Amino acid sequence: MTGSPRIVVLAGGVGGSRFVLGVRAALRARGIDDTAAALTVVVNTGDDLWLSGVRLQPDVDSITYALAGVNDTERGWGRQGDSERVNHELQEWGAGWPWFTLGDLDLGTHLARTGWLRVGLTPAQVLERMSHRWDLGARLLPMTDAEVDTVVVLQDGSRLHFQEWWTRHRATLAPARFENAGIEAAAPAPGVAEAIAEADAVLIAPSNPVVSIGPILAVPRMREALRATDASVVGVSPIIGGKVVRGMADVCLTAIGVETSASAVAALYGARERDGLLDSWLLAEEDEAAADEVAGLGIRPLVRPLWMTDAARSAALGAAALDAAGV
Ligand code: FO1
């Protein structure tokens, strides 16, 4: 390959952020200074919502804040050192959701975004504008400009926005299925299909396969774009040692009838040579026994350390994914 490689990462919130940081570090370690030109992140927007009159984009903000180095690493969402004065005032008014915290600095982001949306900018244009504040070293694109809500349909048929199910009920209400409301009318945001078509590598972050990567793949024309690219498509297992690393992805997988295992998630994405998406699948050393099963799916298994417990390990995983894609 001549020149700088072009990498596309499909990502959700926390796992996505750590992985994107790792890929950015791996590119820098290869002498690529202009990582913003090399690295495009297509972000899940199914978690987005309107609350107290402002537009929230949790996964977009988690990745932006992490790349900017201003994220709250302990909570896994929001801004480091944030205060909650406005949130307290909203609670006094009975506005918003009592179980959902809007930090003061975070609210500044939501207000800026909402203002620009209201004067007619598209979500992709707003994100482009917001990306200028910090030197993110990556180009962020929303999966789509359309409003697509992840809706959780419970066993009794009642419907909840994903954020209510996730933060209020901590995924304890058994879901019957997940829906991507509004997805039929959606299209990949401007630049997404082009980035995938021109990529040298497409990496699927170890994010929740059902409610983070699932909505991205459900955008009409997204799968076709991924299947048509000449780039190698490499996925990273979000399951280590048969368990979810964080979050409640196991509940989501169970709801759609998929076992919580590295090979079952690989099968969910499928092999590109068999109408699916993956050329290679990075699975953890703890799951080495599943490698043959992955190979049997028509996907090249690569056993690597997957724990992203610090920046060096994230960078090593980023490098392993780039190596797997041949860049
Ligand atoms: N997660 C919580 O568990 N509790 C919250 O109060 C909360 C507030 C919040 C505000 C802004 C934001 O961008 C994210 C926020 N999150 C909160 C995280 C978020 O609900 C989820 O973890 C993600 O959507 C899943 O990727």
Side-chain angles (χ1 to χ4, degrees):
M1 181 182 313
T2 53
S4 175
R6 288 157 301 181
I7 314 300
V8 173
V9 180
L10 310 186
V14 180
S17 306
R18 289 197 189 156
F19 183 66
V20 169
L21 286 175
V23 175
R24 186 182 67 176
L27 288 169
R28 284 182 180 155
R30 289 170 190 213
I32 295 157
D33 296 325
D34 187 4
T35 54
L39 178 57
T40 298
V41 186
V42 177
V43 187
N44 169 43
T45 57
D47 298 11
D48 298 6
L49 73 157
W50 289 97
L51 196 66
S52 294
V54 293
R55 186 71 175 155
L56 271 63
Q57 295 200 290
D59 286 1
V60 164
D61 289 346
S62 290
I63 294 178
T64 303
Y65 294 158
L67 286 168
V70 299
N71 57 318
D72 184 323
T73 48
E74 269 178 36
R75 279 191 314 195
W77 49 270
R79 291 281 294 274
Q80 197 178 53
D82 211 346
S83 48
E84 296 175 8
R85 290 194 71 195
V86 179
N87 192 64
H88 184 258
E89 194 63 8
L90 287 169
Q91 308 287 328
E92 291 293 322
W93 284 114
W97 282 340
W99 62 88
F100 201 78
T101 306
L102 296 175
D104 295 333
L105 298 176
D106 200 27
L107 264 164
T109 305
H110 310 323
L111 285 171
R113 171 164 44 229
T114 306
W116 287 323
L117 288 172
R118 293 193 65 154
V119 295
L121 268 65
T122 62
Q125 288 168 338
V126 170
L127 185 49
E128 212 259 317
R129 187 173 285 198
M130 299 195 95
S131 298
H132 291 154
R133 177 169 174 191
W134 292 293
D135 179 15
L136 301 181
R139 179 171 67 134
L140 304 191
L141 297 175
M143 65 186 199
T144 179
D145 272 340
E147 283 189 20
V148 175
D149 292 339
T150 301
V151 173
V152 187
V153 184
L154 302 181
Q155 310 280 356
D156 66 3
S158 55
R159 301 163 67 82
L160 299 178
H161 188 282
F162 167 76
Q163 285 297 344
E164 181 171 4
W165 179 73
W166 190 259
T167 58
R168 181 184 188 183
H169 300 288
R170 299 276 153 210
T172 52
L173 304 177
R177 62 180 187 280
F178 298 90
E179 288 180 5
N180 306 116
I183 200 88
E184 307 76 20
V192 170
E194 296 80 353
I196 293 170
E198 292 161 9
D200 298 303
V202 175
L203 312 177
I204 303 181
S207 299
N208 187 313
V210 184
V211 295
S212 295
I213 303 298
I216 301 176
L217 300 179
V219 175
R221 303 211 312 271
M222 193 71 80
R223 278 182 180 272
E224 291 78 354
L226 291 163
R227 287 186 46 72
T229 182
D230 290 336
S232 202
V233 179
V234 176
V236 181
S237 174
I239 308 298
I240 300 184
K243 292 196 177 70
V244 291
V245 174
R246 73 188 71 75
M248 300 160 275
D250 47 347
V251 182
C252 304
L253 286 166
T254 304
I256 64 160
V258 173
E259 188 189 299
T260 301
S261 73
S263 52
V265 177
L268 174 67
Y269 293 146
R272 199 132 71 118
E273 63 178 47
R274 298 182 194 166
D275 293 331
L277 301 173
L278 296 174
D279 295 307
S280 304
W281 185 239
L282 267 55
L283 67 165
E285 295 156 314
E286 294 86 334
D287 298 307
E288 192 168 5
D292 286 349
E293 210 178 319
V294 173
L297 296 167
I299 302 164
R300 181 173 64 133
L302 294 162
V303 176
R304 298 286 181 274
L306 296 193
W307 287 107
M308 294 188 285
T309 41
D310 58 33
R313 287 188 178 89
S314 295
L317 180 56
L322 294 177
D323 286 345
V327 297

